Amino acid sequence: MGQHSSMRFGVRQHPVRSTWPERAIAALGLLLLVDSFLPWYRLSWMVSRYGGGQPTRHVNAATAWHSSTGWSLAVLLVVAAVVGYLACGAFTDRWPRLLARLRWLFLLTATAGLVVAIVTWWAIPSVEVSGGYGVVAADRIAGGVTFGDIVRDRLYDRETNVTWGFYIAVVVTTALVALMLLDVVRRTGRRTAPTSG
């Protein structure tokens, strides 16, 4: 009876000690998902009417899902990693070796998502290469694209057109990966500590 109660006490104690990183990971994953629906890419241009009219500024923005396949894949990888990582918490004391490997796998998946997002950003031609400031002429793209339209995976001028949504995602994902790594290391230390004495 005493042994059974101590096992129950151990089962309860283990998740409580690791609750804060799991909650932080869940919050960051939700924040990233919300951020993916905010502007990641933006085009802006000025229009002046003939005859000396007042110039007007126009802006067209797109989310991660609308603007880039690479960014969409990056968000999917990180969100899937968060869901899988948190699901491991439901089986804390079952299959410890398998769960340890799965947590490392989800950590690597989230890291891959971060790398994909940054590589996709870097692959966008800079202002110097494309020679413009966010306006793609309609005659360069077939299919009825009008002046100022954002075409998926046809992005230019990363310095001026990539917006704060992307940079927030990079910061959030970096913090998320760091928390996952911290939690994995802590769990590994707790699992090996009793056998080292």
Side-chain angles (χ1 to χ4, degrees):
M1 180 68 179
Q3 183 179 1
H4 179 68
S5 62
S6 64
M7 290 177 60
R8 292 180 58 188
F9 177 78
V11 171
R12 291 179 181 179
Q13 185 182 20
H14 190 272
V16 170
R17 294 180 58 188
S18 59
T19 294
W20 75 265
E22 290 182 351
R23 288 181 178 178
I25 289 169
L28 290 174
L30 180 60
L31 180 59
L32 175 65
L33 184 61
V34 172
D35 177 73
S36 68
F37 292 97
L38 298 177
W40 284 37
Y41 187 81
R42 178 186 61 194
L43 294 179
S44 62
W45 65 97
M46 301 294 294
V47 175
S48 181
R49 295 180 179 273
Y50 290 106
Q54 182 69 25
T56 57
R57 184 172 184 267
H58 298 262
V59 177
N60 188 17
T63 67
W65 307 102
H66 180 266
S67 58
S68 171
T69 302
W71 284 342
S72 302
L73 175 62
V75 174
L76 286 175
L77 285 173
V78 177
V79 171
V82 169
V83 172
Y85 195 93
L86 295 177
C88 290
F91 307 97
T92 301
D93 290 332
R94 297 181 182 180
W95 315 297
R97 293 183 179 179
L98 175 61
L99 290 179
R101 293 175 181 176
L102 285 177
R103 286 190 175 94
W104 277 110
L105 175 63
F106 294 132
L107 170 61
L108 293 176
T109 303
T111 305
L114 177 61
V115 172
V116 169
I118 295 175
V119 169
T120 301
W121 169 82
W122 184 256
I124 299 174
S126 66
V127 173
E128 291 79 9
V129 173
S130 56
Y133 286 90
V135 175
V136 180
D139 58 356
R140 292 181 58 186
I141 305 175
V145 177
T146 59
F147 188 82
D149 283 352
I150 297 176
V151 180
R152 184 181 177 89
D153 296 328
R154 298 288 187 93
L155 310 182
Y156 299 88
D157 307 337
R158 62 174 179 265
E159 296 89 348
T160 58
N161 293 339
V162 177
T163 63
W164 47 270
F166 165 77
Y167 299 107
I168 290 177
V170 171
V171 173
V172 169
T173 307
T174 302
L176 193 150
V177 169
L179 273 175
M180 281 187 176
L181 178 61
L182 174 64
D183 192 45
V184 167
V185 171
R186 292 181 64 202
R187 289 175 182 272
T188 303
R190 287 202 304 267
R191 191 161 59 89
T192 57
T195 59
S196 60

